[in-house]
């Protein structure tokens, strides 16, 4: 009953549009529909695991690439620019294919579908993270560095205790953006066979032959995931700014 | 300058120091000695190089020519000797530069814990000692933003003191303050001077200078134009430029 209460309004709304809808494939009141829905939703596990793993790595790599970008040494800055420009220029889908099919030939190491996906997503995102961190760090007033220097803090402690905590607060909305972006881009890993949301939907479409209904559910799945992430980021922003008020 | 045998060793010695910002020369062959326990007040029109002078002492600015020796260590870009010097030289800034994401107490304990290796409790008790000294122990758990400008500047002074430096530099410490808050900061500085701390203060507060300074330094266009005890230079300025400057800032 509860299932029906949740899904019925959505179906009714969508059925109101013209077209030949066949909601029975995902009708939670029938055994087949319910198992189809379960099949689709379980894809969220890999979508989330893939995205969270990839963004964790890309944030670390992004920070490590951002730091040379604010160096006074030209060589370091050139490294930062080179990395950002090259990595940013490769389409994610191409990178996924290259890492999964190309890298094993090059290195002799075969990556699992999951790790190939993580590597490609993280690499691609790290260039954007590097730019976000660079902007965040550069937005911090010069006086903060000087104050840190005047109490004799070294570079690492200055970054760790003074600059980064302030920079991260400022770039939190941008980091939230990237997580949303990552959740959506993870759908591309379906092309190498990752059993995440999009792949599961594709599989079901082949069996049931009702792309319209199944892909509509897929859209809703991403929507729900991303709304949750947005709410989480906003909560985090509020919490962090209140400690500073 | 003023090297009389009765004075103790110089803790800061600048010899023919020059500093350029692009084509602009901010310091022109500046030489000065500051002795242990000496209180030096530096004044001069804006752009005269007085801030640059003291910022060179803890190498927030790197000088291009000449020699600066602080506490027996010659200033170079070597990070190790730099760290040693900065541990002995505190600085108070015009814009306070407190760490806004940390509480007052955390602002004070960060340096002692990370640099001096104090335990959390030791750092806290030291911080409270100095907060009492600047008369705001009750603000310890607030964030800088919740304090008035005068209170923030006193926190900044306490933060410097927590490192127990031998020398304190003040870069226009009251210039960003509302008039009613200047006194509370100057009081703290006056009290500090009475403890024998070596201080170099860039300020236009001539009342403070008269009361506290052992040595007045007047700078103009990157040069030290006049040096001497305040009672001498105020009553009988030797240079025309200083006389004119004094007239300008005292006539309002």
């Amino acid at each position: 009953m509860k299932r029906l209460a949740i899904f019925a309004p959505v179906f009714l709304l969508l059925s109101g549009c013209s077209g030949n809808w066949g909601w029975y494939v995902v009708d939670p009141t029938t055994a087949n529909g319910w198992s189809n829905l379960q099949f689709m939703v379980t894809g969220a596990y890999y979508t989330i695991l893939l995205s969270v793993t990839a963004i964790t790595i890309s944030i670390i790599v992004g920070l490590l690439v951002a730091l040379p970008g604010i160096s006074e040494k030209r060589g370091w800055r050139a490294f930062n620019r080179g990395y950002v420009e090259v990595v940013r220029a490769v389409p994610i889908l191409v990178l996924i294919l290259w890492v999964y099919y190309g890298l094993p030939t090059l290195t002799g190491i075969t990556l699992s579908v999951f790790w190939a996906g993580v590597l490609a997503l993280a690499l691609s995102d790290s260039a954007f993270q590097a730019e976000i961190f660079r902007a965040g760090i550069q937005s911090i007033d010069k006086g903060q560095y000087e104050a840190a220097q005047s109490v004799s803090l070294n570079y690492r402690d200055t970054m760790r205790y003074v600059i980064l905590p302030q920079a991260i607060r400022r770039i939190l909305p941008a980091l939230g953006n990237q997580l949303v972006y990552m959740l959506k881009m993870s759908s591309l890993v379906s092309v190498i066979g990752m059993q995440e949301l999009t792949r599961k939907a594709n599989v079901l479409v082949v069996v049931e032959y009702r792309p319209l209904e199944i892909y509509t559910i897929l859209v809703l799945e991403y929507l729900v995931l991303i709304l949750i992430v947005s709410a989480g980021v906003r909560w985090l922003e509020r919490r962090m700014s209140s400690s500073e008020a | 300058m003023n090297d009389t045998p009765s004075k103790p060793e110089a803790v800061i010695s600048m010899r023919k120091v020059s500093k350029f910002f692009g084509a602009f020369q901010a310091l022109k062959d500046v030489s000065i000695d500051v002795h242990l326990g000496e209180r030096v007040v530096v004044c001069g029109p804006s752009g005269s190089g007085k801030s640059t002078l003291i910022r060179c002492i803890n190498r927030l600015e790197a000088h291009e020519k000449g020699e600066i020796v602080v506490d027996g260590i010659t200033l170079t870009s070597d990070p190790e000797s730099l760290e040693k010097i900065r541990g002995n030289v505190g600085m108070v800034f015009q814009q306070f530069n407190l760490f806004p994401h940390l509480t007052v107490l955390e602002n004070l304990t960060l340096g002692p814990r990370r640099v001096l290796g104090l335990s959390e409790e030791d750092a806290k008790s030291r911080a409270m000692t100095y907060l009492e000294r600047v008369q705001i122990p009750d603000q310890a758990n607030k964030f800088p933003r919740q304090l008035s400008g005068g209170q923030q500047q006193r926190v900044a002074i306490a933060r410097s003191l927590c490192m127990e430096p031998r020398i304190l530099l003040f870069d226009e410490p009251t210039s960003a303050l509302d008039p009613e808050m200047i006194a509370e900061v100057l009081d703290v500085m006056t009290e500090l001077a009475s403890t024998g701390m070596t201080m170099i203060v860039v300020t236009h507060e001539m009342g403070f200078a008269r009361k506290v300074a052992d040595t007045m330094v007047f700078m103009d266009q990157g040069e030290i134009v006049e040096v001497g005890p305040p009672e001498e230079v105020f009553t009988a300025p030797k240079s025309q430029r200083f006389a004119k400057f004094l007239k300008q800032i005292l006539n309002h």
Side-chain angles (χ1 to χ4, degrees):
Chain A
M1 242 358 254
K2 213 169 158 193
R3 292 182 219 159
L4 197 65
I6 297 167
F7 285 98
V10 178
F11 292 164
L12 278 175
L13 200 73
L14 291 167
S15 304
C17 317
S18 62
N20 186 13
W21 299 73
W23 285 114
Y24 65 89
V25 287
V26 287
D27 182 352
T29 59
T30 67
N32 185 51
W34 180 239
S35 89
N36 281 349
L37 271 177
Q38 280 183 314
F39 177 77
M40 287 188 73
V41 170
T42 49
Y45 174 73
Y46 275 120
T47 291
I48 293 169
L49 194 65
L50 199 62
S51 306
V52 171
T53 313
I55 201 136
T56 306
I57 296 172
S58 79
I59 282 176
I60 294 166
V61 174
L63 177 58
L64 292 178
V65 173
L67 290 174
I70 50 167
S71 167
E72 281 168 14
K73 298 206 174 74
R74 189 176 292 202
W76 285 116
R77 286 206 307 276
F79 163 76
N80 166 277
R81 288 275 26 108
Y83 184 93
V84 169
E85 296 299 346
V86 170
V87 173
R88 198 161 60 170
V90 184
I92 300 187
L93 183 55
V94 175
L95 199 57
I96 291 168
L97 295 171
W98 190 86
V99 167
Y100 188 61
Y101 296 111
L103 205 58
T105 318
L106 192 71
T107 60
I109 305 161
T110 309
L111 290 170
S112 68
V113 169
F114 177 80
W115 285 108
V118 165
L119 184 61
L121 289 176
L123 192 62
S124 170
D125 193 53
S126 66
F128 296 92
Q129 296 287 0
E131 288 294 85
I132 291 170
F133 270 100
R134 189 170 63 88
I137 291 168
Q138 283 177 335
S139 78
I140 303 298
D141 183 57
K142 195 168 138 248
Q144 292 290 306
Y145 290 93
E146 294 181 350
Q149 282 170 6
S150 77
V151 292
S152 207
L153 288 183
N154 60 27
Y155 175 79
R156 231 187 94 212
D157 284 349
T158 301
M159 281 295 159
R160 182 168 159 202
Y161 294 103
V162 178
I163 305 301
L164 286 178
Q166 297 182 62
I168 286 170
R169 250 165 252 236
R170 289 190 192 179
I171 64 177
L172 210 54
L175 293 182
N177 249 347
Q178 286 308 114
L179 182 53
V180 166
Y181 187 67
M182 184 68 94
L183 280 166
K184 297 197 288 185
M185 290 308 122
S186 70
S187 65
L188 292 172
V189 187
S190 65
V191 300
I192 56 172
M194 186 81 241
Q195 293 290 320
E196 43 64 73
L197 287 173
T198 304
R199 178 74 178 190
K200 293 246 177 179
N202 280 335
V203 169
L204 202 59
V205 165
V206 173
V207 177
E208 292 284 1
Y209 224 69
R210 299 271 359 164
L212 177 59
E213 293 74 12
I214 290 166
Y215 286 137
T216 305
I217 295 292
L218 181 60
V219 167
L220 293 176
E221 285 178 312
Y222 280 110
L223 184 66
V224 168
L225 258 186
I226 283 160
L227 287 179
I228 292 171
V229 167
S230 303
V233 170
R234 218 159 295 144
W235 173 81
L236 207 60
E237 264 179 66
R238 263 200 313 276
R239 219 189 64 151
M240 282 189 141
S241 65
S242 68
S243 73
E244 218 183 296
Chain B
M1 276 171 213
N2 298 0
D3 252 332
T4 50
S6 65
K7 282 198 173 169
E9 39 135 11
V11 282
I12 301 169
S13 165
M14 299 178 94
R15 287 279 160 271
K16 297 205 165 224
V17 172
S18 289
K19 166 75 194 168
F20 298 83
F21 293 108
F24 176 72
Q25 188 169 3
L27 292 179
K28 297 172 186 163
D29 286 339
V30 171
S31 298
I32 187 172
D33 280 341
V34 177
H35 300 87
L36 198 63
E38 190 174 354
R39 274 95 51 170
V40 180
V41 169
V42 184
C43 65
S46 67
S48 60
K50 52 198 193 302
S51 283
T52 308
L53 178 82
I54 66 167
R55 287 165 61 84
C56 279
I57 295 170
N58 62 350
R59 210 174 168 87
L60 289 182
E61 308 288 356
H63 60 284
E64 275 104 13
K65 279 201 296 189
E67 188 187 51
I68 304 177
V69 182
V70 179
D71 242 349
I73 304 168
T74 304
L75 268 182
T76 59
S77 55
D78 169 46
E80 226 168 275
S81 64
L82 199 56
E83 213 169 299
K84 228 180 256 171
I85 287 171
R86 283 181 178 154
N88 279 334
V89 182
M91 186 167 217
V92 175
F93 301 88
Q94 183 177 354
Q95 300 295 342
F96 330 135
N97 294 347
L98 294 175
F99 307 131
H101 60 298
L102 301 178
T103 64
V104 166
L105 200 59
E106 288 164 344
N107 263 278
L108 268 61
T109 54
L110 182 59
R113 288 181 63 185
R114 299 302 308 173
V115 180
L116 308 178
L118 262 61
S119 71
E120 192 176 342
E121 284 138 73
D122 289 350
K124 269 189 188 165
S125 79
R126 183 186 280 196
M128 289 313 295
T129 309
Y130 287 112
L131 278 181
E132 263 155 48
R133 184 103 169 260
V134 300
Q135 290 158 21
I136 38 174
D138 46 320
Q139 312 288 343
N141 293 310
K142 289 195 180 166
F143 285 93
R145 222 169 275 185
Q146 296 168 292
L147 306 184
S148 72
Q151 289 173 325
Q152 288 191 45
Q153 192 60 299
R154 285 187 283 154
V155 171
I157 293 172
R159 177 174 69 183
S160 291
L161 290 174
C162 277
M163 297 300 289
E164 310 207 316
R166 298 181 72 197
I167 302 158
L168 259 187
L169 309 172
F170 294 82
D171 190 2
E172 304 208 30
T174 57
S175 299
L177 294 175
D178 290 332
E180 74 272 20
M181 290 167 188
I182 292 176
E184 62 186 67
V185 171
L186 291 181
D187 283 348
V188 166
M189 290 168 61
T190 307
E191 194 267 335
L192 204 58
S194 71
T195 65
M197 173 73 76
T198 309
M199 294 164 70
I200 305 182
V201 185
V202 173
T203 185
H204 289 156
E205 296 294 332
M206 289 305 138
F208 171 81
R210 218 181 266 271
K211 195 158 57 172
V212 168
D214 301 308
T215 310
M216 273 304 293
V217 172
F218 172 70
M219 289 187 72
D220 193 18
Q221 293 174 12
E223 292 168 317
I224 292 180
V225 176
E226 192 143 344
V227 182
E231 59 272 21
E232 262 175 44
V233 295
F234 278 132
T235 46
K238 277 172 253 161
S239 69
Q240 200 132 55
R241 281 192 275 180
F242 187 38
K244 193 175 152 219
F245 176 77
L246 277 179
K247 209 183 264 175
Q248 279 168 342
I249 63 163
L250 296 176
N251 273 0
H252 59 245

